[in-house]
Amino acid sequence: DGQSTEHDEL
Amino acid sequence: MNIFRLAGDMTHLFSVLVLLLKIHTIKSCAGISLKTQELYALVFTTRYLDIFTDFISLYNTVMKLIFLGSSFSIVWYIRRHKIVRRSYDKDQDTFRHYFLVIPCLVLAVFINHKFTFKEVMWTFSLYLEAVAILPQLVLLQRTRNIDNLTGQYVFLLGAYRALYILNWIYRHFTEPHYVHWITWIAGVVQTLLYADFFYYYFQSWKNNEKLQLPA
């Protein structure tokens, strides 16, 4: 999947 | 982490602490919309589902716990605290949750980065956060009086998301492949919703008069 969906923001 | 995001997180943290301290100290929630506070508790719950599965950093986990704890505490105070609940104006705070929750949920199911439960929930939390302030703004217009702590609370909430927009611009230019256009659109919509409040807030601050929102 294209962009990482790891969400590092609050 | 960049200065815009840190400033945004601190402003956000400060806004919820200002509200919690206000309610705890004067034991009153006059002018505060319970609907908005419940929506924020839902925003944090659906956004931080990964709090125990994906460890990003100590800062990230601590802040998530603070936001979850403070938002649920505020809801508890307004709903359950024997003194605070008496100052809750339920006849004026009549905005229906589902008018916001249902459309955000439908939108999240159709427009998301990846169709998984966690990702749809995360996207839902973004859309919901953008509109969660509406019951509060409606209540402020109805009650027409805004005590300055509530005014500061709404102002800080708007300012935090505006700082996040600067953070997204910064990350767009400094990090390759940092693409979260859903976040950007939801963030801009959210900040625009505050724009009219900002206008009246600055007007009242400049003219040093009580903040009055037009009916």
Side-chain angles (χ1 to χ4, degrees), chain B residues 2-186:
Chain B
N2 58 65
I3 185 63
F4 302 112
R5 193 165 127 213
L6 185 62
D9 287 342
M10 289 306 110
T11 307
H12 193 195
L13 174 66
F14 193 55
S15 73
V16 292
L17 293 185
V18 155
L19 186 59
L20 194 56
L21 269 179
K22 164 187 165 165
I23 293 174
H24 176 74
T25 318
I26 62 174
K27 294 287 182 283
S28 160
C29 63
I32 302 297
S33 162
L34 172 62
K35 308 284 180 167
T36 285
Q37 297 310 318
E38 288 168 338
L39 289 174
Y40 278 133
L42 183 58
V43 164
F44 290 132
T45 306
T46 50
R47 185 169 309 172
Y48 300 153
L49 291 174
D50 62 351
I51 187 168
F52 297 117
T53 55
D54 306 347
F55 180 77
I56 308 253
S57 69
L58 183 63
Y59 169 83
N60 189 274
T61 304
V62 167
M63 291 295 280
K64 285 176 176 176
L65 290 171
I66 292 174
F67 284 136
L68 282 166
S70 55
S71 61
F72 279 98
S73 306
I74 289 167
V75 170
W76 177 85
Y77 262 110
I78 300 177
R79 276 187 169 275
R80 293 275 183 276
H81 190 282
K82 60 188 178 307
I83 303 174
V84 173
R85 62 190 293 185
R86 284 206 295 261
S87 57
Y88 172 53
D89 192 351
K90 63 179 174 303
D91 305 328
Q92 297 266 28
D93 189 22
T94 55
F95 204 104
R96 307 238 182 293
H97 289 133
Y98 48 79
F99 280 171
L100 297 174
V101 171
I102 307 290
C104 290
L105 206 50
V106 170
L107 202 59
V109 166
F110 289 106
I111 304 178
N112 52 63
H113 284 308
K114 201 163 77 172
F115 191 70
T116 62
F117 175 72
K118 266 173 55 175
E119 191 59 26
V120 169
M121 283 294 104
W122 181 83
T123 312
F124 164 70
S125 81
L126 267 187
Y127 296 147
L128 187 62
E129 186 189 2
V131 293
I133 195 65
L134 281 172
Q136 180 65 63
L137 294 180
V138 165
L139 183 67
L140 288 180
Q141 277 174 340
R142 278 189 187 156
T143 52
R144 290 187 65 73
N145 77 322
I146 301 175
D147 69 76
N148 56 19
L149 264 176
T150 309
Q152 279 155 7
Y153 166 68
V154 177
F155 172 76
L156 289 167
L157 266 186
Y160 122 76
R161 214 59 180 163
L163 286 164
Y164 252 72
I165 290 176
L166 298 181
N167 152 64
W168 293 322
I169 294 170
Y170 177 86
R171 293 189 74 174
H172 176 68
F173 288 114
T174 55
E175 295 173 30
H177 318 305
Y178 180 71
V179 175
H180 279 310
W181 55 271
I182 290 182
T183 312
W184 299 343
I185 293 171

